[in-house]
Amino acid sequence: MKFKSVIFDFDGTICKTAEGIIKSAKYALESMNFPLPEDESELEFFIGPPLLVTFQEMYGADAQTALELVKKYRERYTNTGIFESEIYDGIENLLSALKDDGIKIGIASSKPQKYVETLLEHFGIIKYFNSICGVSFTADCESKASIITRCLGELNSAPQDALMVGDKKYDIEGAKANNVKSAGALWGYGSKFEFIEAGSDFVAEKAEDIESIALGYFEQTEETNGIFSGRIITVHEDTVTLVDGTTAKREIVDHNGGVAIVGFTEENEILLVRQFRAPYRETIYEIPAGKLEKGEDPYEAAIREFKEECGCTAENFTPIGELYPTPGYCSEIIRLYFASGLKFSEQHLDYDEVLDVYKIPLEEAYMKCLNGKIKDAKTIIGIMKAREMIKNGSLS
């Protein structure tokens, strides 16, 4: 099941707008002597639903007083509060990816449309949207369901072909009223419990999940059963639900990840270590590498491992990407670094490490990758990537 259009909420989904909204709500309430909580974050209920409704429901304001409060709110928000915002990490990459996938993109927001468009322009992402549906300043109590209906029309999208993405129950309920599938965005202001209670079809932990859902690839984890917990890995079996509703089992190995270093000498040599690897019962060549401790900074870990295994420090330590060595069952990510300007001293190996360091000319190391004498995936990728980057001048 794939979706032809994705409709986003704005506040808490595309843009982190809490600061400006909360400060403007506080400004309005103070101007009319309403009581305020000691902790400003308790005013987060202003994010999402129409202001007029919130002032009445949460503060018991009558219709006329609520109108005055909205006026005071906008007095501050229009010139100051609107720019106390930032787009969430990964959102622009997500929008670009959806566009490349040929998926139409819309916004259905209870925020005044002028504010939405101003911020989209401000952050340079308005170009990604086929439809922007907000409310007007004079009619800002339109239901989320109605706004989504308008957006579907502008996108020329059938409900079954659309996905609604939002961070509050109003987004999920509005989608259900239109028979549209929905995804709760955990990076916003809502919670997993809120999404489940509202009947969300999916829960997205990060922005990239939305593309996976839209393309029909996503797997929602429903249950996790632990199998083994060791010093380096943990193993568990998950029950997952696919986008089409099918359930399946996944056996997964969790690993903190690692680092690997392509050390490059002034004589155009690559540093390789040679050691026995128990799983293969074989002595192999590898670039120096090591495991990450939980929460450890990969850059610092790479410097440490390079010094321990090769007795080396480097003037230049350059990140050159990351790789997923076994994506079929393991969560390990290996971060690659290129090290140059080397200085050699003594190794500092762990008690159970037995290895030697070899200096191999770059082209010879490359040929060992091609002829099968080097079989380790991270080493093959590191050597080939570094060789190409040296040739095109992006590494030296």
Side-chain angles (χ1 to χ4, degrees):
M1 178 181 181
K2 296 186 178 182
F3 296 96
K4 297 178 181 178
S5 60
V6 177
I7 301 172
F8 291 90
D9 173 49
F10 186 76
D11 292 328
T13 305
I14 295 292
C15 196
K16 189 187 300 184
T17 52
E19 181 181 354
I21 291 172
I22 288 172
K23 287 183 176 179
S24 299
K26 182 179 178 182
Y27 173 82
L29 293 166
E30 283 180 330
S31 73
M32 300 187 71
N33 299 315
F34 278 85
L36 292 168
E38 291 184 11
D39 185 354
E40 282 187 357
S41 66
E42 293 182 31
L43 296 175
E44 280 191 358
F45 52 72
F46 277 98
I47 303 167
L51 286 171
L52 195 64
V53 173
T54 305
F55 281 123
Q56 291 180 79
E57 290 185 350
M58 302 304 294
Y59 281 89
D62 57 45
Q64 185 56 44
T65 302
L67 284 170
E68 290 299 317
L69 285 165
V70 171
K71 183 178 179 181
K72 293 300 291 185
Y73 170 96
R74 289 178 179 156
E75 184 179 290
R76 182 187 186 281
Y77 191 80
T78 300
N79 299 309
T80 304
I82 188 172
F83 297 113
E84 294 168 329
S85 308
E86 59 183 296
I87 58 172
Y88 284 100
D89 290 342
I91 286 296
E92 183 164 10
N93 288 340
L94 168 62
L95 297 174
S96 178
L98 291 174
K99 208 72 175 175
D100 290 344
D101 294 329
I103 294 171
K104 294 179 182 179
I105 308 173
I107 283 181
S109 173
S110 295
K111 197 181 195 73
Q113 186 160 326
K114 182 178 178 181
Y115 288 156
V116 175
E117 291 173 346
T118 296
L119 283 171
L120 292 176
E121 289 276 10
H122 177 69
F123 292 117
I125 58 174
I126 198 167
K127 61 187 177 185
Y128 296 110
F129 293 92
N130 304 98
S131 169
I132 301 168
C133 293
V135 298
S136 69
F137 289 118
T138 55
D140 62 353
C141 285
E142 184 180 2
S143 71
K144 197 56 176 271
S146 174
I147 301 168
I148 293 172
T149 300
R150 285 198 287 117
C151 195
L152 287 169
E154 290 191 10
L155 293 172
N156 193 28
S157 176
Q160 66 269 22
D161 293 330
L163 173 71
M164 176 68 203
V165 183
D167 72 307
K168 299 295 286 182
K169 66 178 182 178
Y170 312 103
D171 305 309
I172 310 305
E173 292 167 351
K176 289 177 74 70
N178 281 278
N179 294 314
V180 168
K181 297 282 188 181
S182 61
L186 278 179
W187 59 86
Y189 303 113
S191 67
K192 187 173 183 178
F193 177 79
E194 180 178 352
F195 300 144
I196 293 172
E197 191 175 53
S200 176
D201 297 286
F202 310 99
V203 177
E205 294 185 2
K206 56 187 185 299
E208 302 97 292
D209 289 344
I210 300 304
E211 183 188 19
S212 297
I213 295 170
L215 293 175
Y217 303 146
F218 190 68
E219 297 182 357
Q220 184 80 54
T221 301
E222 307 293 350
E223 184 181 2
T224 297
N225 292 310
I227 297 172
F228 169 79
S229 181
R231 184 173 61 87
I232 298 173
I233 62 168
T234 60
V235 183
H236 51 94
E237 183 185 65
D238 292 357
T239 302
V240 301
T241 301
L242 311 187
V243 173
D244 66 1
T246 303
T247 59
K249 299 287 186 180
R250 299 285 184 254
E251 293 177 356
I252 297 174
V253 176
D254 284 336
H255 189 289
N256 287 336
V259 293
I261 306 97
V262 182
F264 192 64
T265 72
E266 293 180 359
E267 290 74 31
N268 292 343
E269 298 164 320
I270 295 290
L271 296 190
L272 296 177
V273 299
R274 201 174 186 197
Q275 60 188 316
F276 186 79
R277 287 303 197 182
Y280 301 102
R281 308 299 299 169
E282 187 177 334
T283 298
I284 66 173
Y285 285 105
E286 300 174 61
I287 53 177
K291 300 181 294 294
L292 283 170
E293 300 299 329
K294 191 170 184 179
E296 186 177 14
D297 177 69
Y299 183 83
E300 296 298 328
I303 292 173
R304 168 177 53 75
E305 289 292 340
F306 197 45
K307 188 173 183 178
E308 289 178 359
E309 291 200 356
C310 297
C312 247
T313 58
E315 290 181 10
N316 306 302
F317 241 91
T318 306
I320 59 171
E322 57 184 37
L323 60 98
Y324 299 168
T326 48
Y329 63 87
C330 185
S331 67
E332 182 181 14
I333 300 173
I334 298 176
R335 281 81 174 181
L336 290 172
Y337 293 87
F338 180 80
S340 60
L342 308 185
K343 293 182 180 178
F344 292 87
S345 58
E346 293 184 0
Q347 292 173 296
H348 298 279
L349 301 176
D350 292 337
Y351 77 93
D352 59 348
E353 280 187 302
V354 181
L355 58 83
D356 290 311
V357 180
Y358 291 77
K359 297 178 183 179
I360 308 292
L362 175 58
E363 288 304 311
E364 182 182 334
Y366 174 69
M367 288 307 301
K368 286 181 182 293
C369 294
L370 295 184
N371 64 26
K373 290 185 177 179
I374 292 178
K375 302 176 183 178
D376 174 60
K378 68 179 180 296
T379 302
I380 294 170
I381 293 169
I383 290 172
M384 290 188 168
K385 190 165 189 176
R387 178 178 181 268
E388 185 61 30
M389 294 176 77
I390 290 168
K391 285 176 63 179
N392 66 30
S394 57
L395 282 178
S396 59

